[in-house]
Amino acid sequence: MVSWNELTARLQSFFRYHSEEVFGLGLAVLVTAFIFSFRDWGGGEFNALLGLRNLLLVVIIAAVSFFFRTACQKIYALSEGYNSTFRLWYPGIGIALVLSFITFGNVPLVLIGCMCNAFNIKLRLGEFRHAFSYFHNAMTSFWGIMGNLIMAILFSIGVYFFPQNYFFAQILNNSINVM
């Protein structure tokens, strides 16, 4: 881990989302929002207006959740001298959608992609880098889970104070199930 000043300098220079990542995260957000709002398109009968409202709320929730998760992972990777990028996994998205249709949205399986680390030569100048570290890869993944837990804790406080609010209930459900 580097000093706070070095980390802020690394974030200013290297923390960015590339167009491929933005497209992948956008598609992942839409698919995840559809999966989590699949059962919320009306009680006994179909209601398009209610369904679109719930879908829009879950899109916002999924976007915040994925951005926070990937940001935590990117920040940790930069602190260790790696560039971390999000890669979409198309077969996983297909499996998640098929399972959502088969179970009528009762099993929200989210298989969207992964974060891939690569050496950033500029950040590792002067450091011994014999091989790629499995520990740093594991910790990058761990920080994704920690990001979801941090969001779940923050929004569980919102659920505690506003128990009937759909937004807080869905964001808590989304941040826990995306892990």
Side-chain angles (χ1 to χ4, degrees):
M1 195 78 155
V2 295
S3 69
W4 181 254
N5 293 334
E6 175 66 20
L7 182 60
T8 55
R10 287 180 181 190
L11 290 176
Q12 289 173 355
S13 299
F14 298 106
F15 184 82
R16 63 183 49 92
Y17 288 89
H18 301 287
S19 59
E20 180 181 322
E21 284 181 290
V22 172
F23 173 75
L25 283 170
L27 185 61
V29 163
L30 290 176
V31 169
T32 303
F34 177 75
I35 290 170
F36 278 99
S37 70
F38 190 80
R39 293 181 296 165
D40 298 333
W41 287 75
E45 55 191 51
F46 179 75
N47 186 349
L49 188 60
L50 178 67
L52 287 175
R53 189 194 76 156
N54 292 339
L55 179 65
L56 180 64
L57 280 174
V58 178
V59 163
I60 293 168
I61 292 166
V64 169
S65 177
F66 286 146
F67 174 74
F68 191 74
R69 177 188 179 106
T70 57
C72 288
Q73 290 174 317
K74 282 178 169 281
I75 290 169
Y76 177 78
L78 282 173
S79 73
E80 294 297 335
Y82 297 99
N83 281 336
S84 189
T85 57
F86 177 77
R87 299 278 167 91
L88 194 63
W89 188 44
Y90 292 104
I93 287 180
I95 291 168
L97 283 173
V98 168
L99 190 63
S100 178
F101 282 119
I102 289 173
T103 64
F104 298 108
N106 290 322
V107 179
L109 180 67
V110 179
L111 301 170
I112 56 164
C114 67
M115 294 297 281
C116 297
N117 288 341
F119 282 123
N120 189 335
I121 303 301
K122 293 178 182 177
L123 298 181
R124 299 192 60 91
L125 188 64
E127 291 184 22
F128 178 71
R129 76 176 172 99
H130 175 66
F132 203 68
S133 173
Y134 291 118
F135 177 74
H136 291 149
N137 275 335
M139 290 304 294
T140 302
S141 298
F142 177 73
W143 270 103
I145 295 169
M146 289 302 294
N148 282 350
L149 286 175
I150 291 167
M151 281 190 48
I153 289 169
L154 291 176
F155 287 107
S156 66
I157 294 169
V159 169
Y160 179 76
F161 287 112
F162 304 105
Q164 299 300 323
N165 192 333
Y166 178 80
F167 181 76
F168 285 129
Q170 280 297 98
I171 200 163
L172 183 63
N173 187 24
N174 189 12
S175 65
I176 290 173
N177 284 328
V178 170
M179 290 192 297

